[in-house]
Amino acid sequence: MIRRTCLGAAGLLAAASASADWAINMPRGVTELSAETHDLHMQVFYWCCAIAVVVFGAMIWSLIRHRKSRGVEPAKFSHSMTAEVIWTVIPIIILLLMAVPAAETLIKLEDSRKPDLTVIVTGYQWKWHYAYQGEDVAFYSTLARASADARRKNSGIDPFTVDNYLLDVDRPLVVPKGAKVRILLTSNDVLHAWWVPDLAIKKDAIPGFFNETFFRAIETGVFRGQCAELCGMDHGYMPIVVEVVEPEAFVAWLASEKDAAAKLASAN
Amino acid sequence: MVSAVTDAHGHGKDRGQDHGHDHHGPAKGWRRWLYATNHKDIGTMYLVFSGLMFFIGGTMALVIRSELFTPGLQFVAPNVFNQMTTMHALIMVFGAVMPAFVGLANWMIPMMIGAPDMALPRMNNWSFWILPAAFSILMSTLFMPGGAPAGGWTMYPPLVLQTGDAFPFLIFSVHLMGLSSIMGAINVIVTIINMRTPEMSLLKMPMFVWTWLITAYLLIAVMPVLAGAVTMLLTDQFFGTSFFLAAGGGDPVMFQHIFWFFGHPEVYIMILPAFGVVSEIIPTFARKPLFGHDSMVYAASSIAFLSFIVWAHHMFTVGMPLTGQLFFMFATMLIAVPTGVKVFNWTATMWKGAMTFETPMLFSLAFLFLFTIGGFSGLMLAVVSSDIQYHDSYFVVAHFHYVLVPGSIFGIMAAVYYWLPKWTGHMYNEKLGQVHFWLSTIFVNVTFFPMHFLGLAGMPRRIPDYSTQFTDFNSIASIGAIGFGISQLLFVYIVVQCVRKRGSRASDTVWENPKGLEWTVPSPAPYHTFTQPPHVGAGAAFS
């Protein structure tokens, strides 16, 4: 642990050696809407930068030029209607320019019609339950064993030796590439929130209610997220892993899950 | 401030506001404080109390940052970690920031409007003395079975109903804090409306008085809403109601709507008085009147109005109708307009001035730059689809700490440095003040700037441990936090030295030709000021 601490401190100086350790921006993600959200985020950010250049530029110019030590006499002006109107109207125009694409993306984000597959996701303290609607496949997804061992206080296990520390589960949610996957969210106890940054989805799981969201992944891969609404002691220990596979692989996976479930049922 | 006693009768300094007739100086010993009705004594108590809470809340922040220095769990169990985040927020919001502004209001509003005291001095005493009781109750929960509240300062049900023995104490202490705030707000409004010196019309009031007037109305409007929300939690827990329980026909999200109807005006309650402070300080050190005084008043009022119709931007992930989300997005973006007006007016105040950079000015300038950064991230957060990614991540933590620490708290520190010589009659140590400024400003950025990156990269807030790719920025933030915490000990040292009269004597105006009635009374301000209403004249806040 101490070694890691030292390394962490050294890392400050080494700076940006391992790029993965220095992720500083929202991921572009693997859905059309996640890319669109990322672009919107960048667009607003660039607007902010542009405004910052003007505003901070004026402030810094003033700080350099209008200081008493340069022997300047203070001006006497104290108001200007023209100036007030200008710096009210220009921000309104900029906001309108931002509001239009923001509204467009939001409208797309809310269109959860015609899903190809529906998964009912239930939050528990502190794990997730996934049920494939109409498919008789359902299971819990909990923190992977290696992380669960290492995360105990003073466990003696270095988190850096654990793959995907705190972001790994025993059973991931498996979905097919290209399908519109509708997530119906609810909770069994307190509020949770289901967040996968690469899918640009975050939605609260509320006991007694169903919430709806969706994604359509256009790449295969494993995408990780976490519970994003404080849900008690182990809030930090209920990760989400979504495995996006080719459609054929998904069909095969679903069949094997059903088989396993049937065997289990007959064995009982 | 004991020093205020010495000039209680303004001997030899007859300026028409203090004729030394038979009013008395302060009582001796503890009675002076327990029975205090003098606005200056009560203001001092508020400020000292706030400072104490700032260090207690800060210590909790350091527990949080120590645990997050490196992955793995080293110091505290997850439930204790959650208690720390919850208590840190409650203590900082209700114990440090709000009382500090009430303390400044108590000290300065009567002196800025030419009133002899607050309008309701006995209620003033009560509203202060409720606070130590409220926070004793709140902090006693740390030692109760089940520990302190750990469900977050937002107290969302159903989680908050899992709190142990601390639960009713949490609710009761929030009730008490609300009571104190409401009484303080009533006092401010009654004082400002009724006790201004006759020559001071509303639009001639200094900006600090204006922003506090608006803040006080916000407080009266929303503190009862918070009280109602937590009372419903109480009855849900103990009296069989189901306001927020779906099983009984209630709705957990309803609490969030009610809470944020309080909570969003609350964030302006914590920033508007700071707007007022920097609006006083920048003109003094730019040697130029505040630009656009009236439009500043209208901007602050617009912000206050808009603050009531944006609450649901705190809850874009709960599942709202599309039209609702669009409305709250547009309304939230609109707040950027009056806020922008304020920033532009401050810049225009500096423009073509003759600036010097004493500590209060430095803190005000840092406020201007860093609050604006918090404003930018606020604008980004308004956009719903991006907000869905930012929500409950460290990006949000970065945002609200930027507006609260270099925003509200730098505003408070600027105010303390600005008026401390008036309060004590002595200058603080300018060199140390500037050291304190630079340490605070550097460390506050080291602490909070990397949190933007953490949030965007996917780190949720309120987690005691994190995946290894978040290590570097967390370590940096922790180092910054420890540096910031230690730097504040210097602040205490500077203030204590000033109160102990270690600095040079302050003149009555303290600074170079500052505007405002507070500078027309002697330094230190006598125990009773403006027993006769003063003329506004040359001391007017602006011309």
Side-chain angles (χ1 to χ4, degrees):
Chain A
M1 212 57 64
I2 290 162
R3 184 175 59 85
R4 273 297 151 198
T5 308
C6 296
L7 275 184
L12 305 182
L13 306 171
S17 49
S19 60
D21 286 0
W22 290 84
I24 59 168
N25 203 359
M26 185 189 285
R28 266 192 81 78
V30 291
T31 72
E32 275 174 29
L33 282 171
S34 73
E36 203 172 313
T37 298
H38 174 271
D39 294 346
L40 191 62
H41 150 77
M42 291 313 290
Q43 189 187 337
V44 178
F45 174 69
Y46 291 138
W47 271 116
C48 290
C49 290
I51 300 166
V53 167
V54 175
V55 176
F56 291 162
M59 287 179 193
I60 290 167
W61 176 268
S62 182
L63 288 178
I64 293 169
R65 299 299 296 263
H66 308 138
R67 46 171 69 212
K68 196 186 175 196
S69 56
R70 288 170 56 96
V72 294
E73 275 297 307
K76 299 269 181 254
F77 65 84
S78 66
H79 54 273
S80 155
M81 197 55 176
T82 319
E84 302 285 353
V85 170
I86 290 171
W87 61 51
T88 305
V89 171
I90 291 180
I92 290 176
I93 294 170
I94 295 176
L95 287 175
L96 284 173
L97 292 174
M98 280 183 210
V100 173
E104 281 172 357
T105 306
L106 177 59
I107 289 165
K108 287 184 210 164
L109 216 58
E110 286 293 308
D111 184 6
S112 54
R113 287 172 296 179
K114 296 186 188 159
D116 301 315
L117 171 71
T118 297
V119 183
I120 298 166
V121 178
T122 310
Y124 287 78
Q125 284 176 317
W126 291 275
K127 53 174 156 295
W128 296 99
H129 182 262
Y130 300 122
Y132 289 74
Q133 198 178 41
E135 300 286 358
D136 272 346
V137 173
F139 53 86
Y140 287 95
S141 177
T142 55
L143 184 66
R145 190 58 189 264
S147 291
D149 288 339
R151 68 105 166 168
R152 282 178 292 110
K153 192 173 160 194
N154 299 322
S155 63
I157 302 170
D158 186 345
F160 287 86
T161 63
V162 179
D163 284 344
N164 298 305
Y165 177 59
L166 298 185
L167 291 181
D168 205 11
V169 294
D170 54 352
R171 301 191 66 185
L173 177 70
V174 180
V175 296
K177 185 178 97 171
K180 184 168 183 176
V181 180
R182 181 169 66 151
I183 300 288
L184 289 180
L185 270 166
T186 188
S187 166
N188 188 56
D189 35 52
V190 299
L191 302 174
H192 303 271
W194 204 76
W195 180 25
V196 183
D198 278 311
L199 304 176
I201 288 188
K202 187 186 286 135
K203 204 78 167 185
D204 290 0
I206 300 164
F209 293 84
F210 271 103
N211 246 336
E212 188 179 51
T213 186
F214 72 94
F215 64 88
R216 188 196 297 271
I218 52 178
E219 283 173 36
T220 57
V222 179
F223 306 106
R224 298 169 196 279
Q226 281 178 272
C227 177
E229 178 64 59
L230 180 61
C231 59
M233 189 170 73
D234 284 354
H235 162 56
Y237 306 104
M238 47 184 292
I240 296 149
V241 178
V242 178
E243 202 178 328
V244 180
V245 298
E246 295 293 344
E248 309 80 58
F250 175 73
V251 172
W253 174 83
L254 204 60
S256 73
E257 288 293 316
K258 279 183 197 168
D259 265 5
K263 272 189 198 131
L264 202 62
S266 61
N268 289 342
Chain B
M1 307 293 149
V2 180
S3 52
V5 184
T6 51
D7 273 343
H9 296 274
H11 295 303
K13 288 190 176 178
D14 189 345
R15 284 157 186 268
Q17 72 275 353
D18 198 325
H19 292 287
H21 39 86
D22 67 344
H23 51 59
H24 301 289
K28 296 281 172 277
W30 57 272
R31 285 185 180 81
R32 171 176 181 182
W33 306 104
L34 188 64
Y35 300 158
T37 50
N38 179 289
H39 71 103
K40 300 183 180 77
D41 283 351
I42 293 174
T44 302
M45 288 196 291
Y46 264 112
L47 288 167
V48 169
F49 176 79
S50 153
L52 184 67
M53 288 298 124
F54 181 57
F55 278 92
I56 293 173
T59 306
M60 291 170 172
L62 291 186
V63 172
I64 294 167
R65 284 314 325 169
S66 305
E67 182 55 65
L68 292 174
F69 183 76
T70 182
L73 218 55
Q74 294 87 27
F75 302 112
V76 291
N79 58 329
V80 178
F81 183 90
N82 291 344
Q83 292 172 31
M84 289 294 114
T85 55
T86 304
M87 294 289 278
H88 163 73
L90 286 169
I91 287 172
M92 286 303 198
V93 168
F94 295 103
V97 175
M98 292 169 70
F101 283 127
V102 181
L104 292 172
N106 260 293
W107 253 103
M108 299 319 300
I109 287 176
M111 281 165 60
M112 293 174 111
I113 62 172
D117 205 309
M118 296 295 279
L120 307 161
R122 289 182 185 82
M123 192 168 83
N124 206 6
N125 173 297
W126 196 28
S127 57
F128 170 74
W129 278 110
I130 283 176
L131 283 180
F135 283 89
S136 304
I137 291 169
L138 183 64
M139 281 187 285
S140 71
T141 61
L142 283 163
F143 309 102
M144 289 179 184
W153 83 281
T154 49
M155 299 176 278
Y156 283 2
L159 181 63
V160 74
L161 302 177
Q162 295 181 350
T163 307
D165 288 3
F167 181 76
F169 295 91
L170 166 69
I171 304 297
F172 187 50
S173 66
V174 171
H175 276 151
L176 288 178
M177 294 166 202
L179 204 59
S180 163
S181 292
I182 291 167
M183 289 195 295
I186 291 172
N187 219 338
V188 166
I189 292 173
V190 177
T191 305
I192 294 175
I193 299 298
N194 294 296
M195 295 182 64
R196 278 170 290 129
T197 186
E199 289 173 25
M200 187 178 279
S201 63
L202 279 176
L203 275 175
K204 277 194 177 175
M205 292 195 312
M207 272 312 288
F208 180 71
V209 180
W210 253 113
T211 53
W212 239 115
L213 181 65
I214 296 165
T215 302
Y217 277 108
L218 289 180
L219 278 167
I220 288 187
V222 300
M223 294 312 287
V225 177
L226 174 67
V230 297
T231 306
M232 285 187 262
L233 288 178
L234 192 75
T235 61
D236 271 8
Q237 182 80 317
F238 295 118
F239 303 106
T241 59
S242 301
F243 291 110
F244 309 128
L245 302 174
D251 182 352
V253 176
M254 178 64 88
F255 177 85
Q256 299 183 27
H257 282 290
I258 301 172
F259 180 87
W260 288 113
F261 185 80
F262 144 80
H264 200 79
E266 167 71 16
V267 310
Y268 291 100
I269 286 165
M270 291 193 283
I271 200 66
L272 284 176
F275 285 177
V277 167
V278 301
S279 301
E280 300 297 328
I281 292 173
I282 292 177
T284 296
F285 295 97
R287 293 165 181 75
K288 201 166 147 282
L290 179 67
F291 190 88
H293 177 279
D294 294 4
S295 65
M296 290 293 246
V297 171
Y298 300 136
S301 311
S302 316
I303 292 172
F305 168 73
L306 288 172
S307 75
F308 285 104
I309 55 165
V310 296
W311 76 87
H313 70 211
H314 295 269
M315 32 193 297
F316 279 142
T317 63
V318 298
M320 267 184 288
L322 175 62
T323 43
Q325 296 185 53
L326 286 171
F327 171 80
F328 285 110
M329 172 167 75
F330 295 146
T332 303
M333 290 170 101
L334 211 51
I335 288 196
V337 176
T339 312
V341 168
K342 298 206 81 98
V343 172
F344 299 138
N345 275 305
W346 287 320
T347 310
T349 307
M350 287 154 56
W351 195 259
K352 293 202 183 291
M355 279 186 273
T356 53
F357 303 96
E358 288 85 347
T359 312
M361 181 63 162
L362 289 173
F363 272 104
S364 301
L365 291 170
F367 172 96
L368 207 50
F369 278 87
L370 301 177
F371 175 80
T372 304
I373 290 179
F376 287 138
S377 56
L379 184 58
M380 295 171 74
L381 282 154
V383 177
V384 180
S385 40
S386 322
D387 176 81
I388 287 170
Q389 289 278 51
Y390 310 140
H391 180 85
D392 265 333
S393 80
Y394 259 81
F395 190 81
V396 174
V397 178
H399 161 71
F400 67 71
H401 280 96
Y402 258 87
V403 291
L404 278 171
V405 184
S408 307
I409 288 176
F410 275 24
I412 293 162
M413 285 172 177
V416 169
Y417 281 114
Y418 186 53
W419 285 310
L420 195 59
K422 176 55 66 187
W423 300 338
T424 64
H426 287 263
M427 297 305 289
Y428 60 88
N429 185 327
E430 181 60 41
K431 193 165 271 176
L432 283 183
Q434 296 195 9
V435 171
H436 170 233
F437 164 78
W438 284 109
L439 289 175
S440 299
T441 302
I442 291 166
F443 281 125
V444 90
N445 285 294
V446 172
T447 309
F448 297 117
F449 207 81
M451 292 185 184
H452 291 111
F453 304 141
L454 284 173
L456 293 174
M459 180 168 160
R461 63 192 284 211
R462 294 167 163 169
I463 56 172
D465 194 1
Y466 49 83
S467 192
T468 51
Q469 74 265 33
F470 303 126
T471 308
D472 298 318
F473 287 127
N474 269 300
S475 303
I476 296 170
S478 294
I479 291 167
I482 289 162
F484 185 81
I486 292 171
S487 307
Q488 302 322 310
L489 297 175
L490 182 59
F491 181 52
V492 175
Y493 174 78
I494 295 166
V495 172
V496 168
Q497 289 297 85
C498 185
V499 172
R500 294 175 66 203
K501 306 178 184 183
R502 287 296 191 272
S504 56
R505 279 205 69 97
S507 68
D508 292 354
T509 51
V510 182
W511 313 107
E512 194 185 319
N513 197 22
K515 303 293 182 224
L517 288 171
E518 74 266 36
W519 309 109
T520 65
V521 302
S523 298
Y527 200 57
H528 296 288
T529 38
F530 297 125
T531 48
Q532 304 286 325
H535 291 289
V536 173
F542 71 105
S543 47

